[in-house]
Amino acid sequence: MHYTGTIWRPPYEATSLLLEVTAGCTHHKCKFCTLYNDLPFKFRMSPMEDIETDLQEVKGWKSKRIDRVFLTGANPFVLSYDKLTTLAEIIHRHLPSVKSIGSFARITDVTPKTEKELANLHAMGYDGLTIGIETGDDEALRFMNKGYTSSDIIEQCQRLDTAGIHYSFFYLVSISGAGRGEIGAKLTADICNQIHPTLIGANMLTIYPDSELYTEIQHETWQEEGELEKYKEVRTLIENLRIPTIFAAMGTSNAYQFHGQLPKDRKKLLSFLDEVIENVSEEDLQRYRKSIHHL
């Protein structure tokens, strides 16, 4: 299999076939992100011959039936409708057992595709996108150079809803900065309550020296939340969500991992977070944060 640099996937894609069709990120301007700093280029699509070779290799895995393919790279959904169509055709030709194709996506990847194209992509198997919206706080989105607004999140996800393409969100805890976490959580809940994410995955902001955000902190132009404040922020988000969805904090960035179905498990999740806030020290949580040398 052809893989370039570190390969990232959501926790819930653990059983999917990871197929490299792109590497890097077309945007690569978010102040907090260092995930693709190990690549010598910003973004590229994999050669079709590499993709075909990888699929041929997978066909030889007689012991494993492949039901789902997850396209790797920061945002493969940025590829044109024609390229995504070609990829789907190749995947289904080599692996007829595949029922769905997912990937990471940016909100801006949806924008240029027409309603008909989105519906056609869904018919070809594209479903279960993972979108790092990070927050619904426009002030934070601007400061972090995300390249879209909260209204863009609503508009483009409503288009995905219409096309029948399911999607999950990554929420970045602390992106709004010290003293604004619960504000950002409420703004994010307001956005999510107008659309239909299958899952909302919380990740705790972990800042590394090679990020632009680290430089902002050194210049005292931005301040990170304390660790306990991060858990209060997550609590506020869960408290204000009014849609049926899965809420999960499962990645390495979370010292305490948990998940549940909303609204059914709301009380259980809030009680768990209250236990952390009341019984775990800031020092212990800071110690864990500093121990994460790489996400």
Side-chain angles (χ1 to χ4, degrees):
M1 300 292 288
H2 293 85
Y3 293 120
T4 305
T6 305
I7 301 302
W8 304 97
R9 63 155 176 82
Y12 43 82
E13 296 287 359
T15 60
S16 303
L17 171 67
L18 303 182
L19 180 67
E20 179 170 293
V21 299
T22 65
C25 177
T26 55
H27 186 63
H28 201 55
K29 295 175 183 175
C30 301
K31 290 185 179 182
F32 55 83
C33 185
T34 61
L35 296 186
Y36 301 96
N37 286 3
D38 61 337
L39 297 179
F41 51 82
K42 181 178 176 181
F43 177 86
R44 76 177 186 198
M45 181 177 176
S46 301
M48 278 296 181
E49 54 266 31
D50 287 356
I51 298 170
E52 291 258 18
T53 299
D54 288 346
L55 289 169
Q56 285 281 8
E57 179 181 334
V58 174
K59 281 175 71 174
W61 299 353
K62 302 296 185 183
S63 61
K64 185 174 182 180
R65 174 187 171 90
I66 307 297
D67 295 319
R68 178 167 171 80
V69 172
F70 185 79
L71 309 179
T72 66
N75 58 324
F77 204 68
V78 73
L79 297 175
S80 69
Y81 171 74
D82 289 342
K83 285 189 172 71
L84 290 172
T85 298
T86 299
L87 285 170
E89 290 171 348
I90 293 171
I91 290 168
H92 289 305
R93 184 171 74 246
H94 286 283
L95 302 173
S97 62
V98 168
K99 297 176 182 175
S100 65
I101 304 167
S103 76
F104 284 123
R106 283 177 48 79
I107 286 295
T108 52
D109 297 345
V110 182
T111 309
K113 296 172 177 66
T114 67
E115 273 69 15
K116 183 177 180 181
E117 287 173 343
L118 290 172
N120 287 346
L121 288 170
H122 180 245
M124 293 173 208
Y126 285 96
D127 201 19
L129 301 177
T130 294
I131 307 173
I133 63 162
E134 320 302 1
T135 184
D137 178 359
D138 280 319
E139 183 177 319
L141 290 171
R142 281 192 299 271
F143 181 80
M144 296 295 177
N145 290 334
K146 283 300 295 180
Y148 53 80
T149 66
S150 59
S151 61
D152 294 328
I153 297 171
I154 296 171
E155 180 181 357
Q156 299 309 321
C157 288
Q158 286 177 340
R159 296 180 67 227
L160 291 175
D161 287 336
T162 300
I165 297 176
H166 297 88
Y167 50 89
S168 297
F169 288 159
F170 278 175
Y171 174 76
L172 190 56
V173 185
S174 187
I175 192 174
S176 294
R180 284 184 51 83
E182 293 186 70
I183 294 171
K186 289 177 181 177
L187 290 169
T188 303
D190 287 344
I191 296 300
C192 292
N193 289 339
Q194 299 178 60
I195 44 185
H196 303 90
T198 303
L199 177 147
I200 299 172
N203 298 292
M204 300 280 182
L205 179 63
T206 306
I207 302 165
Y208 294 102
D210 55 338
S211 69
E212 189 178 345
L213 187 56
Y214 181 85
T215 304
E216 295 279 7
I217 294 171
Q218 299 304 111
H219 292 163
E220 299 184 353
T221 51
W222 190 85
Q223 184 179 353
E224 184 183 5
E225 285 181 341
E227 294 298 317
L228 286 171
E229 187 180 355
K230 291 177 185 177
Y231 282 90
K232 291 175 184 176
E233 176 182 340
V234 175
R235 190 190 193 286
T236 299
L237 177 58
I238 293 172
E239 199 170 30
N240 285 273
L241 287 169
R242 294 292 174 261
I243 52 170
T245 190
I246 299 167
F247 192 93
M250 301 301 292
T252 304
S253 68
N254 299 288
Y256 291 89
Q257 300 186 354
F258 58 93
H259 63 91
Q261 181 77 47
L262 294 178
K264 179 172 69 76
D265 297 325
R266 190 190 315 276
K267 288 184 179 179
K268 182 181 74 174
L269 294 176
L270 293 178
S271 177
F272 174 81
L273 288 166
D274 286 339
E275 285 286 321
V276 173
I277 293 165
E278 292 168 14
N279 298 313
V280 182
S281 71
E282 177 73 20
E283 291 74 24
D284 284 345
L285 292 170
Q286 287 281 358
R287 197 173 300 115
Y288 177 80
R289 183 72 46 221
K290 291 173 183 176
S291 74
I292 307 174
H293 300 299
H294 199 292
L295 292 175

